[in-house]
Structure formats: C-alpha cells, structure tokens
Amino acid sequence: PAAAVEAALAHFTRVFGRTYRQLEYSGSADAETVFVAIGEAASHAQAALPAVLKQRAAGVLSVRVLRPWTPAQVVASLPASTRRLVVLTSTSDAGPSPDAFAADLLLAALVGGSPSPIHVTCQSVYGADQAAVAATVRAALGLEDEAAASEDEAAASQETGSSDGAALAPPVPAAAEPSAMPADALEIAKRLAFPEAYSTQVVPRHGEKTFTVKVSSLRRMTPAAYDRNIIHIEFDTRGTGLTYEIGDALGVFGYNDAAQVDRFCVQYGLDADQLVTAVKDGQTQTRSVRSWLTHALDLFGRPSKKFYAAIADFADSGRDADTLRWLTTSEGAAEFKARVADTVTYADILLEFTSVRPSFLFLVDLIAPIKPRHYSIASSAQMHPGSVHLCVVTVEWTNGRGEHRTGQCTRYLNSLAIGDDVVVSVKPSVMKLPPLDSQPVIMAGLGTGMAPFRAFIEERAVRKLQGADVGPMTLYFGSRHRAMEYLYGEELEAYHADGLLTNLRLAFSRDQKSKVYIQHKMQEDSELLAAQLLSGDGSFYLCGPTWPAGDVKDAITGAFTAHGGIKPSEASKHIEELKESERYILEVY
C-alpha cells in the first residue's frame, strides 16, 4: 500500500510539475526538534518557521497522506540530528481530539533504524488558525510569544516618545475589497487531490436542501409548428431521498447558456478559464470565470436599482455615472420601469455602459446568485413512485431591440437529454386536496396551470382503487386551440369516461368566432358551483395567469346569488370565508 501511495504522488508530480512526497520536511538541516502536522496545521507550522529559525534550529514534517507509511520512510525524511518529534493535535472546547498518527510515529522512531533514540510527544493546539499554531510551536521550543513581545515593544516605544510619526499615526483605511480573489490552479489541484489533508469538502452551493435527479423522459406536448412550446418532463428520484406531497412545487436550479456566457466574456474582456475563489451564498467556492457566470451568477437576470447605483462608482465617464445614478431616482423611475419591462439584464447594462468595468472580483459580489425556478408538480407520488413530473411552457419573447430572448430556466430544461443530472428542491404549496376524499373538488386551470390538477386527479384515482369513497371532481380547462394545446387530453378523457372526473368542462378560446373562456363555462354551471361550494363542503382551485381571476370570482359570486339565496352585497364575503377555511385557493402568476 505504501508503494501505491508513492506511485500516486509521483503521478501528481508529473502532472502538476511540483514534487509531492508522502512525508515532506522543511527547516534546519541540524534540527533536534521537529514538529509533525497534517493539512492546514502543517502549512501554519511552516509559516511560523522563518521567525523560529532566527532563535532555534527546528523543522516541520508535513504529513500529506495519513497512512500507510513505513518506519524507514519516517526516519529517511528527518535530519539525522532529530531527537524529538512533537505531533501537533487540535483541541476545541469539547477537549483534545484523538491523535491519529502519534502511535505510528512512535513505532517508526523505535524500529526505523534511527542512530539515536527519538522522543515522541503530542502537543495540543487550541484552535486551528495560524496564530494558534505559531504560539504552540514557540511554546514547545521555550521561545517568547511573538504577540506579547510586540505589545511590549509598542508600549516601550510609546513611553519613550518615539519620533517616528508614521508609527503612531492611525492607519489609513484600505479600499473595500470584494470577498473574492484569483485562485491558484496548483493550490486548487492540491486541495482536490488531497481533501483530507486540506479539509476540503465538496458541498452543494445552494442554501436549501437539494437533490440531484436524472431526466428519465422529455417530450414536447404541442406541435412543432405551434408558437407555444410546452414540454412534459419526468425525473428519476430513486435513491435521492426526495419526497413530495400533492400540490408541492419543484425548484429547478437552471444554468445560463454557455455560448452566451462565452460571448459576454469576449465582449467584456474576461479570461473565461481563470479560476476565482469567492464567498457566495455563505459558501467559499472555487470556479472558473466561465463556471461562475454559467452556474452561479444570474448574469442574464434583471438587476435592481442597487446594482445601477453600485456600478456607477466604477464609471470612467461622468455621463455614464450620471445616467446610472439618475435611473435610481424618482426622475428616472419611468425609464427604469421600461428597462424592467424590456427585461434588461446585468449583461446588457455592463455592455451598454462601456466606461463601467468593475473587475470580475467585484462582479461576483454585485451580481445576484441564480435562484431556483419553481414549477407545480404534475404527478402523484402514489401513482408514480420514484418519479416526479413537470409541465412547463418555454418562455420566449422579443425585446425592444428586436432580440429574441428565452427564459433562463425553461431554456435550460429544453436543452436537457435523457440521463442528464438536474439539481432540484421541493417547496410546499397551498394547493392541497381537501382532508376528506369525499369532499367535492372544483379545479380551474389555464395552459400549464393544469399541472397540479393532473396530480390531484392521479391521487384520487389511486385512492379510488384502494377503495376510498371519492367525491365529485370538476375540471375547467382553458387554452387557445384544442388541436394544439389540449394538455393531457387523452388522460382527462379516460378519467372522465371512468367517472372519476365527474365534469370535464373545456374552453378553447380561439376555436370559434367568439372567444370562450373558463369563466363562461363556470357561468353555465352556476347551480353546480353554488351547491358544491355552499352546502357540499367543496373546495375551489385556480391555477394559471392572473388575468382571469377577477372574472372567475364574478362567476362564483354570481352562482351564489342566483342559486344560493345570497344577496349580491354578501357574495364576496362568502368568498373570503372560503379563503379563510382554505377552500378557495388561487395560484396565479
């Protein structure tokens, strides 16, 4: 095993152009005391050596791989003068941690063929920072603490009235730096190659709990020639720990388009391959510029006024600075609103104001992170165990400059292939079935607003098969054309024929001369609505765009007035009572 480790390190030496050894010594050639440490503690001990060597011969043995090693390797790594090994171990408020390798070192010292006996001890380090390690090293060598000595020197200087005015003057505050720095490729490679030594962790970048699922099915639901691209996509969740309830939403963490990112890098003058380490979302992340802009930063999202104000400080042109600041004022509010409506992005602004060139380090701080896009889940976990489904319309538009634009997440979803990994999260929703299976359910969905209702119907289908007494279900579904956009039409017709879907009311607005919408179908069913919502303990749900919400409410209040014996002035009050009891639920966007 020890030979295998050496062979692996020799490979890294060839790849990275730097010599790697399992045990690496640095310090005096005639050191009697050698400190042994692994990972970050070894780096801190090495940093303390220059000051120590001015007063005492000493060294540091850095342990790159904890085990295995041979006694001969240990002895060969040390100066012949070594008489004492001090193994640095970490200590916290909970007490000292178990030493992982002192026993190995002791054995090596006893049987490794050293010409003189080597005494092995453990020295606890309280804390893991550089100052704590340096203080421990100095104390073990019987040297005065540097910090205390510096304080004594400063006090003595003050008492004797030092003539060095600069030393007594208050420090000049440095310009605020972003929480980012260019990363050294070799250092990153070391931390990835030896995660235990450097305490490297690979963790999700997202603040919420996420799951990595695989695409198992993806199909377009509308004809290729139709101007609305609606897709049905299924993800395999087996082995991920992902669970969901009826009505939940799935958060999808999409990526920016790689080609667009590369174009921006060229136009802005960025090296897309440069590595940058920065703190974002509370995590220290190391990425290339390309990865930051593709996977982490919402480069093609819409910025707030705060961004305009922040980048104004970087403008070399007074005109650019004035314009950017004006856009954040009440006088520039109309223009700012127009920019928001035209979906002007971070990238658009940075390329529009050519005298504004914050460094990439500042861009990491200033550009908002990519957030998940939430979609109503279109499946029942009871009917589809180990799978979750979405119904998504691709968001496309042409901006004021005549440029074709696509929504970031829907473009990402359309680019996926079977087997691709996707990072997702689950978000609870108010779209829940009534507590009793027997309670009536009235659903109104427009376009992809059908998604949660497919899940509702599937859930009740399963419960019916299990012998439950399932109440009536009514669906109002609306879209433009039956032939183009009758989403899940075959499934709905089958459920209707089976009797599970008691009433299937369809409104295809453009299939006849006069437009027909779901509220018109609801007006025709006013007696049913009044009976099920007022006396039948039923629940009403609307999912889809905002615009029909008012007309839908009018259809229901009209039903209450015509068939419920309720005065027009009291009908809206009954709607509010239904909302309070979670029996009138809207999910509009």
Side-chain angles (χ1 to χ4, degrees):
V5 172
E6 287 295 336
L9 293 174
H11 173 72
F12 285 118
T13 296
R14 291 192 298 272
V15 171
F16 298 121
R18 180 201 185 281
T19 301
Y20 290 101
R21 294 189 178 89
Q22 191 170 0
L23 303 168
E24 295 182 358
Y25 176 80
S26 57
S28 303
D30 57 349
E32 293 189 359
T33 299
V34 175
F35 295 89
V36 185
I38 189 167
E40 194 173 24
S43 299
H44 293 332
Q46 288 171 335
L49 268 182
V52 168
L53 292 177
K54 294 177 182 178
Q55 299 174 272
R56 190 73 52 85
V60 174
L61 184 65
S62 299
V63 180
R64 186 171 300 285
V65 181
L66 195 58
R67 290 186 179 90
W69 54 41
T70 65
Q73 282 178 294
V74 176
V75 173
S77 301
L78 299 171
S81 55
T82 304
R83 297 294 177 268
R84 181 169 69 131
L85 294 181
V86 181
V87 181
L88 300 178
T89 61
S90 62
T91 300
S92 65
D93 291 331
S97 63
D99 173 51
F101 51 93
D104 283 354
L105 290 173
L106 179 58
L107 177 63
L110 291 175
V111 303
S114 174
S116 302
I118 299 177
H119 181 60
V120 181
T121 62
C122 293
Q123 182 68 50
S124 296
V125 181
Y126 196 92
D129 60 0
Q130 185 169 332
V133 174
T136 302
V137 168
R138 297 183 67 82
L141 293 172
L143 301 177
E144 185 180 9
D145 183 70
E146 276 190 309
S150 297
E151 290 175 3
D152 290 343
E153 290 174 7
S157 175
Q158 198 167 18
E159 288 173 4
T160 55
S162 170
S163 60
D164 186 358
L168 297 177
V172 178
E177 291 290 341
S179 56
M181 54 182 281
D184 177 71
L186 182 58
E187 184 64 24
I188 293 169
K190 287 164 59 179
R191 291 180 179 273
L192 290 175
F194 310 111
E196 297 85 358
Y198 289 94
S199 301
T200 303
Q201 290 182 302
V202 179
V203 297
R205 67 175 172 87
H206 317 291
E208 56 193 281
K209 186 174 182 179
T210 58
F211 309 88
T212 300
V213 298
K214 286 187 179 296
V215 179
S216 57
S217 177
L218 192 155
R219 61 184 172 86
R220 177 165 177 155
M221 302 177 72
T222 53
Y226 191 50
D227 62 359
R228 284 168 60 82
N229 176 18
I230 299 177
I231 62 172
H232 172 84
I233 185 167
E234 301 179 8
F235 301 104
D236 186 347
T237 64
R238 291 174 296 178
T240 66
L242 184 150
T243 61
Y244 63 94
E245 302 292 334
I246 288 296
D248 286 351
L250 194 72
V252 177
F253 290 84
Y255 299 156
N256 287 325
D257 180 67
Q260 284 184 289
V261 167
D262 284 344
R263 281 197 297 272
F264 175 81
C265 289
V266 172
Q267 292 171 305
Y268 196 80
L270 295 171
D271 178 0
D273 296 318
Q274 180 185 5
L275 295 173
V276 173
T277 295
V279 177
K280 199 71 174 178
D281 290 337
Q283 294 178 339
T284 301
Q285 305 174 40
T286 298
R287 301 173 176 274
S288 66
V289 167
R290 179 182 289 106
S291 180
W292 274 110
L293 296 177
T294 303
H295 306 117
L297 302 179
D298 195 13
L299 180 65
F300 305 113
R302 288 181 288 194
S304 67
K305 288 183 178 180
K306 183 179 178 181
F307 179 77
Y308 285 77
I311 64 171
D313 295 335
F314 295 91
D316 291 335
S317 160
R319 181 176 180 179
D320 281 352
D322 290 344
T323 300
L324 287 164
R325 293 192 178 101
W326 173 77
L327 285 166
T328 68
T329 66
S330 56
E331 290 83 1
E335 172 63 20
F336 180 81
K337 185 177 180 180
R339 285 171 168 267
V340 171
D342 201 30
T343 60
V344 173
T345 68
Y346 288 98
D348 291 333
I349 296 168
L350 291 168
L351 297 177
E352 174 185 356
F353 295 94
T354 54
S355 79
V356 178
R357 283 295 181 268
S359 71
F360 186 74
L361 305 182
F362 280 100
L363 293 185
V364 171
D365 275 4
L366 295 174
I367 299 177
I370 292 175
K371 296 296 184 183
R373 171 71 167 86
H374 291 96
Y375 301 94
S376 295
I377 292 175
S379 57
S380 161
Q382 297 296 317
M383 181 170 284
H384 305 281
S387 183
V388 60
H389 303 177
L390 297 181
C391 177
V392 179
V393 60
T394 303
V395 180
E396 298 177 282
W397 71 99
T398 301
N399 67 11
R401 297 180 295 281
E403 300 167 333
H404 179 263
R405 294 284 173 93
T406 306
Q408 182 252 8
C409 200
T410 53
R411 178 211 53 78
Y412 167 72
L413 288 172
N414 272 279
S415 72
L416 295 173
I418 305 300
D420 283 353
D421 287 337
V422 178
V423 177
V424 299
S425 60
V426 177
K427 179 182 178 182
S429 168
V430 295
M431 299 287 282
K432 301 294 183 184
L433 279 168
L436 300 178
D437 291 332
S438 58
Q439 289 178 259
V441 169
I442 302 170
M443 305 162 285
L446 283 81
T448 55
M450 174 64 208
F453 303 137
R454 179 178 185 254
F456 278 20
I457 296 167
E458 289 185 343
E459 184 77 1
R460 282 215 164 168
V462 172
R463 294 182 186 180
K464 182 178 179 180
L465 288 172
Q466 293 171 342
D469 179 20
V470 174
M473 301 188 79
T474 298
L475 173 66
Y476 296 94
F477 174 73
S479 65
R480 292 187 292 182
H481 302 284
R482 183 186 187 109
M484 304 290 186
E485 208 173 336
Y486 187 11
L487 306 181
Y488 304 109
E490 292 184 359
E491 294 180 14
L492 296 178
E493 297 289 346
Y495 286 126
H496 183 47
D498 179 63
L500 175 72
L501 191 53
T502 317
N503 301 292
L504 178 58
R505 306 288 280 145
L506 306 173
F508 299 106
S509 60
R510 302 185 187 182
D511 278 354
Q512 56 283 313
K513 290 183 178 180
S514 58
K515 292 185 178 181
V516 176
Y517 297 109
I518 58 171
Q519 59 266 28
H520 299 138
K521 297 295 182 180
M522 293 174 67
Q523 290 168 357
E524 295 172 4
D525 297 338
S526 57
E527 187 173 355
L528 179 147
L529 294 175
Q532 292 193 358
L533 293 176
L534 291 178
S535 57
D537 202 24
S539 296
F540 175 80
Y541 307 84
L542 171 66
C543 185
T546 305
W547 64 264
D551 292 332
V552 165
K553 180 181 177 181
D554 289 343
I556 294 177
T557 55
F560 290 173
T561 301
H563 301 283
I566 296 174
K567 297 178 180 179
S569 59
E570 297 291 322
S572 292
K573 180 181 177 182
H574 279 74
I575 295 288
E576 295 305 314
E577 290 175 353
L578 289 173
K579 288 181 180 179
E580 291 176 6
S581 60
E582 298 183 348
R583 291 174 49 214
Y584 187 95
I585 299 174
L586 308 183
E587 189 169 278
V588 295
Y589 40 84

